[in-house]
Amino acid sequence: MKKEIQLSDHFTYTRLLRFAFSPIMMMVFTSIYGVVDGLFVSNFVGKVPFAAINLIMPFTMVLGGLGFMIGTGGSALTAKTLGEGRREDAERYFTMMVLFTLIVGGLATVFGIAFMEPAARLLGATDAMMEDCVTYGRIVVGFTTAFMLQNVFQTFLSTAEKPKLGLLYTIAAGVANMVLDALFIGVFRWGVAGAALATGLSQCGGGVLPLFYFLRPNTSLLRLRKTRLEARVLLRACANGSSELMSNISGSLVGMLYNFQLLRFAGEDGVAVYGVLMYVSFIFVAVFIGFTVASTPAVGFHHGAGNHAELKSLLKKSVVLMFAGGLMMMVLAWVLARPLAQIFVGYDQELAEMTRHAFRVFSWSFLLAGFNIFVSSFFTALNNGGVSAAISFLRSLVFQILCVLALPMLLGLDGIWWSVTVAEVFACVISVIFLMAKRKKYHYF
């Protein structure tokens, strides 16, 4: 039986991939069961309801994205504290993050339900889409606390050296979501309400089951213990994790802009195509995100321990793996463009052809996406939230907004599909500049 991998280990390529395997599968599976909602709605309810849930999704994701901020920033601080040999403080910080998530989740739920209809109007919902937008959004937001907890525990389970347990929880939640989707949409015909309810109930499993695990004595590095909230610790963690929140908010804002542009250039069909691209790209990008979920706790631990040689090794190996993975994702996306388009919108051949073409153009973005995602998370692990947020802000908001506004004027509808790739090129340049600028401070070169 192979020895369990610890954060304090030296990471070879094999050991790094072994440690990252469960988080990668966890994030991929999370994305897949999210995609199932879209598949069922598109095929059983229709393309207008499918467009409606894609239109309102940016608003719901911004609220749930608070969990990513707390989880990534909190786990980086906790991993660094573990590396410094202060396990009791690490457990206190971990507990604070969970308590804070419960509080913020409750507030976000109230806010989201109250402002769902105005948000749908702001996002450009047509009269035909409005009812589905509000119905789906309010039900999903009702489970925001569970969604946030799920996001928090996904990162902390790697920090606790229990990535395989995180994968088991995710599989359980995913299977539940798929079964409930089939039941609520395919059998009961509850439409978008059924899709939202299936998603929310499955998130309860992903968010609540780990809570019980950490409340009891366990074999991980972490356990929930009695503590009080400390504003200094929470602010430090949230500031450090702000890049992940910024990425989430930026993605949502950019999603709104894409939808506005697509409604202008291609109508509701364009929004439906973009929905397919986002669903499928979630799965591809999940590979990169899963790798960072695994690697950044190790980076944070060795940073806290002052082990510069291992930091250098982790950075080099991670960059190689991200570029290799990016090439594989691009080729796979190109090959699968046609069958994926048929799966989602095969009932409308004109829409399917538009989707196939758009996805092949979009696939080039995967070449650099992994590297850019890793570098931002790398600085989060070093507890440098400023640099991490700057990379994320420029990559996911500034460059994409400039591209999606400018390129359609030159290339028409194709300009929208090329926008993400061009933005990734600019972001890659910025990522390299920051890596070079901070090399002496952190000694990773």
Side-chain angles (χ1 to χ4, degrees):
M1 183 177 178
K2 292 184 178 180
K3 173 181 173 289
E4 287 291 326
I5 298 173
Q6 299 177 330
L7 295 180
S8 57
D9 288 347
H10 166 63
F11 283 85
T12 61
Y13 279 106
T14 301
R15 188 167 289 172
L16 187 55
L17 286 172
R18 276 181 56 206
F19 192 64
F21 177 77
S22 291
I24 288 173
M25 290 298 100
M26 177 176 67
M27 298 307 299
V28 168
F29 206 83
T30 299
S31 301
I32 288 174
Y33 80 69
V35 169
V36 171
D37 277 357
L39 276 172
F40 272 95
V41 171
S42 181
N43 286 281
F44 283 87
V45 190
K47 67 181 182 181
V48 173
F50 179 58
I53 67 173
N54 289 312
L55 196 72
I56 200 62
M57 195 173 292
F59 180 64
T60 64
M61 291 301 292
V62 166
L63 299 178
L66 293 167
F68 284 110
M69 175 186 71
I70 299 169
T72 53
S75 64
L77 176 61
T78 302
K80 179 175 181 290
T81 307
L82 287 170
E84 294 167 346
R86 298 187 289 124
R87 183 168 177 174
E88 185 175 325
D89 284 338
E91 289 186 333
R92 287 197 308 106
Y93 297 160
F94 167 54
T95 305
M96 287 183 208
M97 300 307 134
V98 174
L99 289 174
F100 189 54
T101 301
L102 292 171
I103 295 170
V104 174
L107 295 174
T109 299
V110 174
F111 174 84
I113 291 174
F115 288 93
M116 189 59 62
E117 187 170 342
R121 292 282 182 200
L122 181 64
L123 292 171
T126 62
D127 290 339
M129 299 162 68
M130 177 58 69
E131 183 178 352
D132 287 330
C133 283
V134 174
T135 298
Y136 183 86
R138 281 181 172 162
I139 294 174
V140 167
V141 166
F143 294 93
T144 293
T145 302
F147 182 41
M148 288 177 61
L149 281 174
Q150 179 175 273
N151 294 336
V152 167
F153 286 128
Q154 281 178 341
T155 54
F156 269 110
L157 280 163
S158 290
T159 305
E161 298 181 346
K162 291 294 181 181
K164 292 180 181 178
L165 188 60
L167 177 58
L168 289 176
Y169 288 139
T170 301
I171 290 175
V175 171
N177 186 63
M178 294 175 188
V179 171
L180 292 175
D181 267 328
L183 185 65
F184 294 166
I185 303 175
V187 178
F188 295 163
R189 302 289 178 173
W190 288 351
V192 296
L197 191 58
T199 296
L201 290 175
S202 66
Q203 288 168 352
C204 287
V208 176
L209 289 178
L211 186 63
F212 286 114
Y213 173 79
F214 285 113
L215 280 170
R216 303 178 61 187
N218 60 72
T219 58
S220 77
L221 290 181
L222 299 172
R223 183 186 172 189
L224 294 169
R225 58 167 57 235
K226 289 184 178 180
T227 189
R228 59 184 178 83
L229 296 179
E230 297 178 23
R232 176 186 60 82
V233 174
L234 293 174
L235 286 172
R236 182 180 174 187
C238 290
N240 191 37
S242 61
S243 60
E244 275 62 34
L245 179 62
M246 176 58 65
S247 179
N248 202 276
I249 292 175
S250 298
S252 298
L253 292 174
V254 168
M256 299 175 198
L257 183 57
Y258 270 84
N259 285 330
F260 282 133
Q261 288 285 72
L262 286 164
L263 283 170
R264 175 186 166 198
F265 280 87
E268 290 175 348
D269 280 1
V271 175
V273 170
Y274 183 63
V276 175
L277 294 188
M278 290 301 98
Y279 275 121
V280 177
S281 69
F282 286 160
I283 299 174
F284 285 80
V285 173
V287 174
F288 305 133
I289 296 174
F291 181 84
T292 64
V293 166
S295 61
T296 50
V299 170
F301 184 95
H302 288 287
H303 171 53
N307 190 347
H308 300 141
E310 189 61 23
L311 266 186
K312 180 179 179 180
S313 174
L314 279 166
L315 176 60
K316 177 184 176 181
K317 291 178 174 64
S318 297
V319 169
V320 170
L321 290 171
M322 287 297 93
F323 277 120
L327 180 60
M328 291 174 60
M329 292 298 105
M330 187 206 75
V331 173
L332 190 62
W334 182 271
V335 171
L336 293 179
R338 184 180 298 277
L340 287 172
Q342 289 297 322
I343 289 172
F344 274 92
V345 290
Y347 52 80
D348 185 327
Q349 286 307 305
E350 184 178 346
L351 188 59
E353 179 57 28
M354 184 190 297
T355 303
R356 180 202 63 80
H357 171 72
F359 194 50
R360 285 192 169 173
V361 173
F362 187 89
S363 67
W364 290 94
S365 66
F366 297 128
L367 273 173
L368 298 175
F371 173 73
N372 293 327
I373 290 169
F374 172 77
V375 174
S376 177
S377 297
F378 181 71
F379 282 105
T380 297
L382 295 174
N383 284 260
N384 191 329
V387 170
S388 180
I391 294 172
S392 182
F393 177 74
L394 290 169
R395 170 183 174 262
S396 58
L397 185 65
V398 176
F399 294 147
Q400 285 211 48
I401 286 178
L402 292 175
C403 290
V404 79
L405 288 176
L407 291 181
M409 291 189 290
L410 300 174
L411 303 173
L413 182 59
D414 269 2
I416 299 178
W417 309 136
W418 277 109
S419 295
V420 175
T421 300
V422 176
E424 293 289 5
V425 172
F426 290 140
C428 183
V429 173
I430 294 298
S431 296
V432 171
I433 289 172
F434 274 120
L435 280 174
M436 298 302 296
K438 297 295 180 179
R439 66 189 187 281
K440 292 182 179 179
K441 179 177 180 180
Y442 296 111
H443 310 287
Y444 46 67
F445 282 168

